[in-house]
Amino acid sequence: MFGRALVLSLCVVAALSPDAVLPNVLAPSTAATPSATSGGPPAPVAAIAAVKPAPDPLPVRLMISKIGVDARIEARGLDAGRNILTPKDFHDVAWYNLGPLPGQPGNALMNGHVDWWTGSAVFTRLSQLRPGDIITVVRGDGTHLSFKVTGRRVVAADARVAALFAPSKVASLTLITCTGAWDPSILSATHRLLVSAVLV
């Protein structure tokens, strides 16, 4: 399926770790107000601590209405051979969590299986996407990010595509799956389909 993925080397990986997002918490305090009775001591009034929920930027779902995708997102890194790990569940997609978060400057990568031994998988219809189609990423805090497909290309399964990991001020997204003939020597398809999109 996608077991060998793209082989990565240290020189092309942009090791961008997601920044920790901390809640904005105002410490509780007490304020004194004059007593209702003349000459009495001030009565303490406890201020209510205002807690702003922390945003959760981690991607949790990928939705592509054009091809009927509504999938859970797994956070995955690299295997021992420095190949991008695939999702554990063929219904899911895997976000490469050593790169940018979707919506951050740079290229966020997600991969998924094109098929499974039981039949279809999450990216069976990925090749049907065309420029202008919309991809939606749902974050942990419920916010939706929309990406517009800009193009697609096919590369060899063992290609080292440095441009996928290059720093950029533009927030983009690349979806990856297998395509081409099955090669038993590598237990994978011969090529990869890359669908690129930009934040809108």
Side-chain angles (χ1 to χ4, degrees), residues 4-102:
R4 293 181 63 86
L6 296 181
V7 181
L8 306 177
S9 64
L10 285 172
C11 63
V12 297
V13 175
L16 303 176
S17 300
D19 295 327
V21 180
L22 302 177
N24 178 15
V25 180
L26 298 179
S29 61
T30 58
T33 58
S35 171
T37 59
S38 176
V45 176
I48 299 174
V51 179
K52 182 180 180 181
D56 182 358
L58 294 178
V60 294
R61 293 203 76 79
L62 179 74
M63 299 187 299
I64 314 172
S65 60
K66 171 75 177 286
I67 58 174
V69 169
D70 184 358
R72 189 173 70 92
I73 297 173
E74 301 176 16
R76 304 281 276 155
L78 300 174
D79 66 15
R82 298 199 62 76
N83 301 310
I84 297 177
L85 286 168
T86 58
K88 297 176 181 178
D89 188 322
F90 68 94
H91 298 103
D92 298 346
V93 296
W95 162 57
Y96 175 60
N97 64 356
L98 301 179
L101 286 158

Side-chain angles (χ1 to χ4, degrees), residues 5-189:
L6 296 181
V7 181
L8 306 177
S9 64
L10 285 172
C11 63
V12 297
V13 175
L16 303 176
S17 300
D19 295 327
V21 180
L22 302 177
N24 178 15
V25 180
L26 298 179
S29 61
T30 58
T33 58
S35 171
T37 59
S38 176
V45 176
I48 299 174
V51 179
K52 182 180 180 181
D56 182 358
L58 294 178
V60 294
R61 293 203 76 79
L62 179 74
M63 299 187 299
I64 314 172
S65 60
K66 171 75 177 286
I67 58 174
V69 169
D70 184 358
R72 189 173 70 92
I73 297 173
E74 301 176 16
R76 304 281 276 155
L78 300 174
D79 66 15
R82 298 199 62 76
N83 301 310
I84 297 177
L85 286 168
T86 58
K88 297 176 181 178
D89 188 322
F90 68 94
H91 298 103
D92 298 346
V93 296
W95 162 57
Y96 175 60
N97 64 356
L98 301 179
L101 286 158
Q104 282 187 336
N107 185 35
L109 300 176
M110 294 188 189
N111 74 71
H113 296 284
V114 70
D115 55 19
W116 199 245
W117 65 273
T118 55
S120 298
V122 64
F123 280 166
T124 295
R125 298 174 57 197
L126 190 66
S127 63
Q128 297 176 18
L129 290 182
R130 296 292 183 269
D133 291 336
I134 297 298
I135 299 167
T136 301
V137 175
V138 182
R139 305 191 330 167
D141 57 15
T143 56
H144 289 57
L145 302 175
S146 295
F147 294 82
K148 182 170 65 175
V149 173
T150 55
R152 58 184 190 155
R153 59 177 167 154
V154 173
V155 300
D158 60 354
R160 290 162 171 80
V161 188
L164 292 177
F165 308 95
S168 173
K169 295 180 180 179
V170 177
S172 59
L173 175 70
T174 299
L175 305 182
I176 308 171
T177 197
C178 290
T179 191
W182 176 259
D183 184 346
S185 69
I186 61 172
L187 299 177
S188 180

